[in-house]
Amino acid sequence: MNKLAKRAWFALALAGMLLLGMGVIVVRYFIDSPDWVTFQNSPHVYTDGVMNSGKIVDRGGTVVLDATNGKSYADSASLRRSMLHLLGDREGNITPFLLQEYGSELVGFDRINGTYSTGKREGQMMLTVSADVQRTALAALDGRKGTVGVYNYKTGEILCAVSSPTYDPDDVPDVEGSPETYEGVYVNRFLHATYTPGSVFKLVTAAAALDEIPDIGSRTFTCEGSAVIGGETIQCNGVHGTLNFEEALAHSCNVVFGEIAAELGPKTLMRYAEQVGVTRRYSFDGTTTAAGSFDVSNAAESELAWAGIGQYTDQINPCQYMTYMGAIANGGSAAEPYLVKEVTYGDSVKYKASTSSTGRLLDSTTADRLADMMHNAVVNVYGEWNFAGLYAGGKSGTAENGGGKAANAVFAGFLQDSDYPLAFIVVVEEGGGGASVCTPILSQVLSACVVAMDAD
Ligand SMILES: [Zn+2]
């Protein structure tokens, strides 16, 4: 081969490699570019590590974050505090997962034109939460640690997701200097914490009993204030005397539910905990919920009894358990929860939420029976006036912390109303008695939800 031909071949090979390389870049660009462009500190999108374009608004259009000229939070300090765990902080202690998930849509990035911001075209992310409901819930918690969650179990829209303690991202306190006040302040307790459920877990044991114990509805039980199960004394919260299954749930009788748990056995209880979603994680809008746990595989009989009434090593995640309440209210399955309604850029819709189902968590007759029993508890024990005057079902829990600490107050339930199909959960850490502490909070929050939904 002469010299000229050699050079031609070499040039051709070079050209081929160039083309191949370009091909790889183009393909990678189409796949990865939305991540590159919103990568933290990318100069087009972030200024000093924060976004400089786009707005985040609540379900009613109230601005909760305006990133147009550097990140600025809402005008109201109480709103900033109540939204902190959803929007993140400036220091990077609380991840701004919504911005990370939808950052490229929010700045109007597209693969052909890149990032542009011209004229009045502006990105907007609309959340499902209500600013007023968030503020109401945080005010109702009144400085106590815990969480309040409410969602629409037909659509999946989360109206309330408040986590306390919190702080104002525009007036950052000395968190390290007050470790007790700010214990776990960077954790979104609604999405990423787990708690001992206490008696709200009886709704899992009750579901198993309705399915697995054929005569459960016609049985009568006796509670003398305590019972010996597996050689250990299970203490009740009262002396309930003779009662049926529905009354046992309404009065949250530990003796009855301890006996039922022992009768059901570890395998059945574990199967139901898994089936209703206690051990499940939900992923949406750039975050994944913490999974609860229920493991009685090595439990003694007395421990099994305690596990069936929500103690032992039981753990639930508030967002997941709220979803289970939705499934009970909705005939056995519910919408999976989410936080972002839509993301628009100018006139174009970049993202729109769609409803996805949990799938069947309970048989429909079991769900309906359980819902009736929970409504009965509201009528006879918790007080209907606490639920915005709507048809409600609920279950309280007083979860023992041990170590000399007061118990956590827990309350979970639902509204069965075609205009307000809401499921909810409240946890007040070291709050004491579940119903008395949580129902006044719920009363305010549910009323605020009704107002917010009427305005939709
Ligand atoms: Zn009892």
Side-chain angles (χ1 to χ4, degrees):
M1 210 187 292
N2 64 36
K3 224 174 189 176
L4 206 65
K6 261 188 190 165
R7 277 188 190 160
W9 275 111
F10 185 66
L12 200 64
L14 263 182
M17 281 161 69
L18 194 68
L19 269 173
L20 192 72
M22 277 180 70
V24 168
I25 285 171
V26 167
V27 168
R28 283 207 55 194
Y29 179 76
F30 269 80
I31 293 170
D32 297 336
S33 55
D35 294 333
W36 296 347
V37 79
T38 50
F39 181 74
Q40 198 87 7
N41 300 324
S42 160
H44 296 294
V45 182
Y46 290 94
T47 308
D48 298 329
V50 296
M51 292 187 61
N52 59 13
S53 171
K55 279 181 183 164
I56 302 183
V57 301
D58 86 330
R59 67 187 291 123
T62 300
V63 176
V64 294
L65 189 144
D66 184 347
T68 312
N69 295 302
K71 193 169 179 176
S72 70
Y73 294 95
D75 293 334
S76 141
S78 64
L79 185 53
R80 292 195 295 268
R81 284 157 45 82
S82 71
M83 294 297 297
L84 177 69
H85 293 93
L86 298 177
L87 301 176
D89 64 340
R90 290 180 211 276
E91 286 71 31
N93 291 314
I94 301 173
T95 307
F97 59 94
L98 299 176
L99 284 173
Q100 288 179 346
E101 181 70 7
Y102 299 109
S104 59
E105 286 86 353
L106 196 56
V107 297
F109 180 79
D110 74 56
R111 289 169 175 82
I112 306 301
N113 297 305
T115 306
Y116 49 84
S117 190
T118 51
K120 284 194 171 140
R121 287 166 69 85
E122 189 186 57
Q124 178 173 289
M125 183 191 302
M126 180 174 271
L127 305 181
T128 58
V129 298
S130 154
D132 282 336
V133 173
Q134 289 285 105
R135 269 193 294 226
T136 301
L138 187 63
L141 280 170
D142 195 21
R144 293 167 292 186
K145 298 185 182 79
T147 182
V148 183
V150 184
Y151 98 123
N152 180 325
Y153 55 77
K154 296 278 188 194
T155 64
E157 294 174 10
I158 295 174
L159 280 94
C160 180
V162 158
S163 182
S164 172
T166 184
Y167 61 85
D168 182 351
D170 282 344
D171 185 13
V172 182
D174 179 11
V175 168
E176 265 115 72
S178 312
E180 230 163 83
T181 307
Y182 295 107
E183 188 193 354
V185 70
Y186 301 136
V187 177
N188 185 326
R189 282 160 155 81
F190 174 67
L191 297 173
H192 304 137
T194 65
Y195 288 103
T196 303
S199 292
V200 297
F201 194 83
K202 284 172 182 156
L203 298 170
V204 180
T205 308
L210 286 168
D211 284 355
E212 304 289 328
I213 303 177
D215 67 339
I216 191 75
S218 58
R219 278 196 196 177
T220 31
F221 304 88
T222 309
C223 166
E224 289 166 349
S226 68
V228 177
I229 300 175
E232 287 198 35
T233 302
I234 303 291
Q235 203 66 39
C236 198
N237 51 28
V239 181
H240 294 117
T242 303
L243 65 184
N244 63 25
F245 185 51
E246 183 167 279
E247 290 163 340
L249 186 77
H251 296 288
S252 205
C253 181
N254 287 346
V255 166
V256 173
F257 275 84
E259 285 169 356
I260 287 173
E263 182 176 340
L264 287 165
K267 279 188 184 150
T268 302
L269 274 180
M270 282 174 71
R271 180 158 54 84
Y272 271 85
E274 197 182 324
Q275 184 188 311
V276 305
V278 166
T279 56
R280 183 165 163 181
R281 297 174 190 272
Y282 290 109
S283 290
F284 51 90
D285 302 321
T287 195
T288 298
T289 60
S293 59
F294 184 82
D295 186 356
V296 288
S297 48
N298 294 310
E301 196 181 13
S302 59
E303 292 169 329
L304 180 64
W306 280 118
I309 58 185
Q311 295 290 152
Y312 188 49
T313 59
D314 304 6
Q315 292 284 301
I316 57 163
N317 166 258
C319 182
Q320 176 281 317
Y321 213 72
M322 174 193 78
T323 308
Y324 176 41
M325 296 304 105
I328 293 172
N330 197 44
S333 66
E336 288 193 13
Y338 62 85
L339 284 161
V340 175
K341 242 181 157 122
E342 64 173 18
V343 181
T344 53
Y345 187 77
D347 295 332
S348 67
V349 177
K350 297 284 180 181
Y351 167 80
K352 198 164 183 56
S354 57
T355 299
S356 53
S357 170
T358 58
R360 186 151 292 287
L361 305 185
L362 290 176
D363 182 76
S364 64
T365 46
T366 310
D368 292 349
R369 182 78 190 97
L370 207 46
D372 285 348
M373 289 168 66
M374 290 169 72
H375 175 63
N376 170 65
V378 163
V379 171
N380 291 307
V381 180
Y382 304 129
E384 287 180 276
W385 60 89
N386 285 312
F387 303 89
L390 298 165
Y391 189 98
K395 180 77 199 82
S396 63
T398 304
E400 301 300 333
N401 274 312
K405 282 181 170 181
N408 288 353
V410 190
F411 198 95
F414 55 78
L415 303 179
Q416 276 180 323
D417 186 289
S418 55
D419 291 330
Y420 314 104
L422 301 175
F424 47 78
I425 188 159
V426 177
V427 181
V428 181
E429 294 170 27
E430 297 181 53
S436 59
V437 170
C438 295
T439 50
I441 296 171
L442 270 171
S443 175
Q444 296 174 56
V445 171
L446 291 175
S447 296
C449 286
V450 166
V451 172
M453 292 172 87
D454 285 345
D456 282 351

